[in-house]
Amino acid sequence: MPAKLLTLLLSWLAVALLALGLSLVRAADPTAFEAGLALLKDKDFEGKAEGIDKLVESADPRARELLTALLDGRLYVRGADARLVYAEAEGRDWRIRDALDGAELGKASRREVEKLTINNKLRGQLRGAIAVLSLAHSDPAARLAAVRDLQKQPDPALLPTLRQYRARERDPAIRAALDSLLALSGLASGQPAERLAAIATLEGNTDPEVRTRLTALLSQAEQDAAVVQAARAALKRIDFKLQLYAFVETLFFGLSLGSVLVLAAIGLAITFGVMGVINMAHGELMMLGAYTTYMVQQYVPVDWSLPLAVPAAFLVAALVGIAIERGVIRFLYDRPLETLLATFGISLILQQTVRSIFSPLNRAVATPSWMSGAWEINGALSLTLNRLWIVGFCLVVFTLLFLVLRRTTLGLQVRAVAQNRTMARAMGVRSSRVDALTFGLGSGIAGVAGVALSQLTNVGPNLGQSYIVDSFLVVVFGGVGNLWGTLVAGLSLGVANKVLEPWSGAVLAKILVLAFIILFIQKRPRGLFPQKGRAAEA
């Protein structure tokens, strides 16, 4: 019994090996390959075109390199033995190697080899043939790139080959791209039935190439009413999707702008809410954070610079803020106009100091590799990674600051002083110390905002001036001293600006937002989320 079982297993193994061998023979047809090589040497372009088709049909692994060399002008014939060779110029001679096995053949004079010439029609055929052969590449990225190349010039003659590759493909992204390619190739067909089936497949596809082909089809297929009607309906649905994705992209840009405004205003909301100080130097504290990022990148690799720049910028801006509070602002409490003038003077001093150290020229801060590029959702919608990171960073900073103010002793004292300074002093809170630490905390967050801004714009002495007015608008609109109000107001104003910009322009959009805030403050003078407490009305 064991002997019979062993014999049976060996028989099945032999059959399987035979089937595998037959499939390999079908996959790479040596006859077609040899015929294709012979036709490539033909003087007639028609013969060369047939030879290209034969090489593609052969599926030989050497065919792709041969056709690439022919397209690049590196494929020659050696006159002595009619051997196909790859030739590279070396001085006045050519260094050649065998096109079939890659063996080095030494040097040859220009008279010993003859270049295989092609015309524009063959160049287009070669690009398509190379793309088809690339569909068998082991690298998924190379296969996807090959499909993208074929989508630019869909050929109905390739439909049988493409269907075979589609049946073997396992990568979902490549399968989807192949489905689009098959449908585009069907559009190029002259048969109305195939065109209607292709339009049904492409309906809702937002790839730019699809829309271009459908638009071109409208002028080519006027004699067939069904095809024209289907193409128009498909284009209408695609345009609706494109408008929807454009609106989503606008909202994303609005959220990213709003995140920057929140980062810029959240420190100001603390100092303004607790101390009643109008700090016109707040923008320059953001500028210091941006310059700190630039300095960190001079000594730390770019990919590691931002995680180190965040605490460094916080520390630098916080120390400068504490120095401003201890040296100037503490003598000007309850004198808001003089505080405004003093901090405006400090902002000019900080700007000039930076100009003296770094020069008036802008400094470029490099973007780390993990923040570069975009997250491509589909052909019509992609979100830039640096803005995605800034939105997330804003939420992290907001959460940390919220926890500090709600869960720590300093936060309790800050809230007590903000609500009723006199009562807080009576309960033993050292309000002067709280003022200094609060101003340092708000200034440090401004420095952190500068780190984020360094990834969106160049770093220069006037960086903070672009955001100081918007920061005050966010604080007033959201409610003085209220973190949730700052978050909601910042994100709302950012989205409003970006939604209005497409039809009103950037300048008019800002004017409209400002007019809205003025009207809103007339109805709610204390903002969206008014401060609570016994001293809130003061």
Side-chain angles (χ1 to χ4, degrees):
M1 189 68 180
K4 290 182 179 179
L5 182 59
L6 180 60
T7 303
L8 184 60
L9 288 174
L10 289 174
S11 300
W12 277 107
L13 181 60
V15 172
L17 290 175
L18 179 60
L20 179 60
L22 289 174
S23 66
L24 291 175
V25 169
R26 285 196 300 269
D29 184 357
T31 306
F33 183 74
E34 295 296 336
L37 290 179
L39 288 168
L40 282 185
K41 303 173 189 177
D42 200 319
K43 297 291 185 182
D44 185 20
F45 290 141
E46 296 292 335
K48 289 178 180 177
E50 187 180 349
I52 294 170
D53 290 337
K54 290 284 186 184
L55 289 177
V56 174
E57 180 186 341
S58 72
D60 191 286
R62 297 168 292 181
R64 183 172 178 273
E65 186 179 3
L66 274 165
L67 296 181
T68 303
L70 179 59
L71 179 62
D72 295 341
R74 296 182 291 106
L75 190 60
Y76 287 71
V77 177
R78 190 164 67 175
D81 52 6
R83 178 182 292 188
L84 285 173
V85 296
Y86 298 133
E88 300 287 346
E90 191 171 288
R92 294 184 177 181
D93 297 323
W94 296 102
R95 177 168 293 280
I96 61 175
R97 60 186 179 91
D98 192 283
L100 299 182
D101 58 17
E104 292 289 343
L105 300 176
K107 289 186 178 181
S109 67
R110 296 181 181 267
R111 293 182 179 180
E112 294 179 81
V113 293
E114 180 182 357
K115 182 179 179 180
L116 293 182
T117 57
I118 56 175
N119 58 14
N120 287 335
K121 183 178 180 181
L122 284 178
R123 288 188 183 92
Q125 183 183 0
L126 282 168
R127 292 189 185 96
I130 293 168
V132 169
L133 291 172
S134 298
L135 292 175
H137 202 285
S138 59
D139 183 11
R143 298 201 301 275
L144 184 58
V147 177
R148 298 296 186 196
D149 288 339
L150 287 171
Q151 285 178 348
K152 297 174 183 176
Q153 291 182 335
D155 185 358
L158 296 176
L159 281 172
T161 305
L162 294 175
R163 289 191 180 103
Q164 292 176 6
Y165 282 111
R166 171 63 176 80
R168 293 199 298 265
E169 185 58 57
R170 292 292 176 266
D171 189 287
I174 302 176
R175 287 170 68 93
L178 279 169
D179 288 338
S180 296
L181 175 57
L182 286 168
L184 287 172
S185 300
L187 278 183
S189 170
Q191 301 298 322
E194 289 190 12
R195 285 182 169 179
L196 288 172
I199 292 172
T201 302
L202 295 172
E203 189 173 328
N205 192 316
T206 56
D207 193 301
E209 193 65 33
V210 172
R211 192 178 186 283
T212 301
R213 296 291 173 181
L214 286 173
T215 304
L217 184 64
L218 288 178
S219 60
Q220 298 173 4
E222 291 181 355
Q223 71 282 6
D224 194 303
V227 172
V228 172
Q229 185 178 359
R232 283 177 178 164
L235 277 173
K236 189 175 294 186
R237 293 185 183 92
I238 289 174
D239 288 341
F240 174 76
K241 272 196 169 183
L242 290 175
Q243 291 175 2
L244 180 62
Y245 287 140
F247 182 71
V248 171
E249 194 171 53
T250 300
L251 288 181
F252 169 70
F253 281 116
L255 287 175
S256 64
L257 173 61
S259 299
V260 172
L261 293 179
V262 170
L263 287 172
I266 196 168
L268 190 63
I270 297 172
T271 56
F272 194 18
V274 175
M275 306 163 64
V277 173
I278 303 175
N279 181 17
M280 295 300 294
H282 189 77
E284 279 57 49
L285 295 171
M286 289 189 283
M287 174 196 67
L288 291 179
Y291 272 103
T292 302
T293 308
Y294 168 75
M295 289 301 299
V296 169
Q297 282 197 351
Q298 307 308 304
Y299 304 99
V300 177
V302 173
D303 282 351
W304 293 95
S305 59
L306 289 191
L308 296 176
V310 170
F314 180 88
L315 186 62
V316 169
L319 291 176
V320 172
I322 291 174
I324 292 172
E325 197 279 334
R326 293 286 85 184
V328 178
I329 294 177
R330 65 179 298 190
F331 304 108
L332 300 174
Y333 283 126
D334 299 324
R335 296 153 70 182
L337 181 59
E338 294 178 20
T339 304
L340 186 150
L341 293 174
T343 53
F344 179 71
I346 293 171
S347 73
L348 297 179
I349 293 172
L350 290 175
Q351 288 182 40
Q352 189 57 47
T353 302
V354 167
R355 287 192 182 95
S356 301
I357 297 174
F358 296 99
S359 83
L361 301 177
N362 289 338
R363 303 290 178 173
V365 176
T367 301
S369 60
W370 44 272
M371 286 183 67
S372 303
W375 175 30
E376 187 173 343
I377 299 174
N378 54 46
L381 179 62
S382 60
L383 308 179
T384 53
L385 291 180
N386 61 340
R387 292 181 179 274
L388 273 175
W389 276 101
I390 287 174
V391 172
F393 181 64
C394 167
L395 296 178
V396 169
V397 171
F398 177 84
T399 302
L400 291 176
L401 182 59
F402 183 82
L403 292 176
V404 166
L405 293 179
R406 292 291 175 180
R407 301 295 177 86
T408 65
T409 303
L410 174 63
L412 178 63
Q413 294 176 348
V414 167
R415 287 184 286 124
V417 172
Q419 291 184 18
N420 195 318
R421 181 180 293 269
T422 304
M423 184 62 71
R425 285 177 178 174
M427 297 297 294
V429 176
R430 296 168 56 189
S431 61
S432 61
R433 176 177 174 273
V434 171
D435 288 337
L437 292 178
T438 302
F439 203 88
L441 179 63
S443 301
I445 294 173
V448 170
V451 178
L453 286 175
S454 69
Q455 299 303 302
L456 297 178
T457 183
N458 287 327
V459 177
N462 298 320
L463 173 68
Q465 295 299 307
S466 305
Y467 293 91
I468 185 64
V469 175
D470 290 334
S471 298
F472 276 109
L473 288 179
V474 170
V475 171
V476 173
F477 181 48
V480 176
N482 191 293
L483 291 185
W484 286 109
T486 303
L487 180 66
V488 173
L491 295 180
S492 301
L493 293 182
V495 170
N497 266 295
K498 289 301 179 181
V499 169
L500 291 172
E501 278 181 11
W503 64 272
S504 66
V507 176
L508 184 56
K510 283 185 175 293
I511 294 174
L512 291 174
V513 170
L514 179 60
F516 166 76
I517 292 177
I518 292 173
L519 294 175
F520 179 83
I521 294 302
Q522 297 299 315
K523 296 294 183 182
R524 292 177 65 92
R526 291 189 291 145
L528 286 172
F529 298 89
Q531 190 180 28
K532 297 178 181 179
R534 292 177 181 271
E537 301 292 339

